[in-house]
Amino acid sequence: MNRIKKSNFQDKKDRFVPYIMSGDPSYDAAIDIALELQNAGVDALEWGVPFSDPLADGPVIQAAGDRSRNAGGSLTSALKGIKEARKRGLELPVVLFTYVNPVLSYGIENVVLAMREADIDGILIPDLPFEESEELRELCGKEDISVISLIAPSSKHRMEKISRLGDGFLYYVTSLGVTGTRQSFSDDLAASIATLKTTATVPVLAGFGISTREHVQHFQSIADGVIVGSALVKFIGERNLLLQEEETKQKALEEIKEFVQELIS
């Protein structure tokens, strides 16, 4: 069952999708955070895989990846974590956010089969060009797993092709460069997203740099939803130690829930 393709995601307005790093600050704490985000009312979850050379990630998410890897995080443990989270009641659509090298090391077919076993709904690989994704798309298609495509402002000559073949949703990158919070965005984004939506067959979600309630409201008004990563990952990182102690973990989880609900409100 691919939850991304179900009507409660496809037909919803103002979608809000957070990104968190698996294994940060620990294997169990990341699962707790995922479940708390579900309680906060988010619409799906991007589940990051720690990698030593994450080309699309800014310093905040790189630091989260380092914390995860230092705690034993990997593609294997990320897959295992969602499987465990499902057992504990996670019902959200989940997109695995990873890079090409871990997938190739694990084996593309093995990754797809492991995703099916873990009940993961989609995969996003930012350093895999759309033109080189045919094998992955074919394997994922057989298992009803969505391959999420990134579209950047510089992708104008490829935008229509990618959008017409979109699966699950399209991730529109609001600015060139790496992830990270930003204060302002190009005035051309509204027109670019509007053009993309004329050919897209799936929802268009905006991400990269969205970090405040005002940002969320703005992009939800011009796109079909938003993805928030660095701002949330930074907030989690500031509660690193609290999340690893039983006596303080619940308070930290409540603060994370309130932070996300403030962004959504």
Side-chain angles (χ1 to χ4, degrees), residues 16 32-33 35-42 211-213 216 228 231-232 235-236 239 243 249-265:
F16 184 94
D32 290 332
I33 293 168
L35 292 165
E36 198 65 38
L37 291 173
Q38 178 168 268
N39 294 336
V42 306
S211 58
T212 68
R213 183 173 61 177
V216 171
V228 173
L232 175 57
F235 194 86
I236 292 169
R239 286 147 185 80
L243 286 161
K249 181 174 69 174
Q250 194 54 49
K251 180 177 184 296
L253 290 171
E254 284 292 331
E255 290 176 351
I256 291 168
K257 178 181 177 181
E258 291 171 3
F259 176 78
V260 169
Q261 289 180 327
E262 172 68 16
L263 289 175
I264 295 174
S265 65

Side-chain angles (χ1 to χ4, degrees), residues 5 52 68 76 133 137 197 204 257-258:
K5 295 181 180 180
S52 59
S68 176
T76 299
S133 64
R137 290 177 183 279
K197 289 173 69 174
V204 177
K257 178 181 177 181
E258 291 171 3

Side-chain angles (χ1 to χ4, degrees), residues 128-144:
L128 177 65
F130 179 82
E131 292 77 10
E132 298 175 20
S133 64
E134 185 176 349
E135 180 184 3
L136 178 65
R137 290 177 183 279
E138 182 178 343
L139 290 168
C140 284
K142 293 177 181 177
E143 304 298 341
D144 196 24

Side-chain angles (χ1 to χ4, degrees), residues 13-249:
K13 294 182 179 179
D14 299 337
R15 299 164 187 82
F16 184 94
V17 179
Y19 167 101
I20 61 172
M21 178 65 69
S22 66
D24 177 39
S26 68
Y27 174 84
D28 289 324
I31 295 173
D32 290 332
I33 293 168
L35 292 165
E36 198 65 38
L37 291 173
Q38 178 168 268
N39 294 336
V42 306
D43 299 299
L45 174 68
E46 281 192 356
W47 184 247
V49 174
F51 179 49
S52 59
D53 191 21
L55 300 178
D57 294 334
V60 169
I61 294 180
Q62 285 187 32
D66 289 343
R67 290 193 297 268
S68 176
R69 290 192 299 121
N70 290 338
S74 65
L75 174 55
T76 299
S77 64
L79 292 162
K80 181 183 175 185
I82 292 300
K83 190 174 182 179
E84 176 64 26
R86 292 294 190 206
K87 292 178 181 177
R88 291 177 52 185
L90 186 70
E91 298 177 353
L92 291 172
V94 175
V95 175
L96 190 73
F97 188 112
T98 186
Y99 286 87
V100 167
N101 278 356
V103 172
L104 293 179
S105 296
Y106 199 99
I108 296 177
E109 188 169 359
N110 292 334
V111 168
V112 173
L113 293 176
M115 288 173 62
R116 181 190 65 185
E117 185 178 346
D119 207 3
I120 292 174
D121 307 283
I123 185 169
L124 197 163
I125 306 179
D127 59 343
L128 177 65
F130 179 82
E131 292 77 10
E132 298 175 20
S133 64
E134 185 176 349
E135 180 184 3
L136 178 65
R137 290 177 183 279
E138 182 178 343
L139 290 168
C140 284
K142 293 177 181 177
E143 304 298 341
D144 196 24
I145 295 170
S146 295
V147 178
I148 308 300
S149 295
L150 285 168
I151 297 183
S154 58
S155 301
K156 291 181 180 179
H157 65 289
R158 304 160 62 233
M159 188 177 289
E160 182 175 350
K161 177 183 178 182
I162 297 173
S163 66
R164 290 191 185 280
L165 295 174
D167 188 11
F169 65 85
L170 295 170
Y171 189 138
Y172 185 85
V173 178
T174 59
S175 56
L176 298 177
V178 299
T179 60
T181 59
R182 287 173 174 78
Q183 298 304 313
S184 61
F185 298 87
S186 169
D187 294 334
D188 298 331
L189 290 178
S192 183
I193 291 173
T195 299
L196 175 59
K197 289 173 69 174
T198 63
T199 56
T201 57
V202 294
V204 177
L205 275 61
F208 272 49
I210 298 172
S211 58
T212 68
R213 183 173 61 177
E214 290 72 26
H215 292 167
V216 171
Q217 291 173 340
H218 171 67
F219 281 104
Q220 285 183 337
S221 73
I222 62 175
D224 298 313
V226 299
I227 298 165
V228 173
S230 294
L232 175 57
V233 172
K234 180 176 183 291
F235 194 86
I236 292 169
E238 291 168 349
R239 286 147 185 80
N240 186 350
L241 297 178
L242 298 176
L243 286 161
Q244 298 185 71
E245 299 292 338
E246 282 302 317
E247 59 269 24
T248 54
K249 181 174 69 174

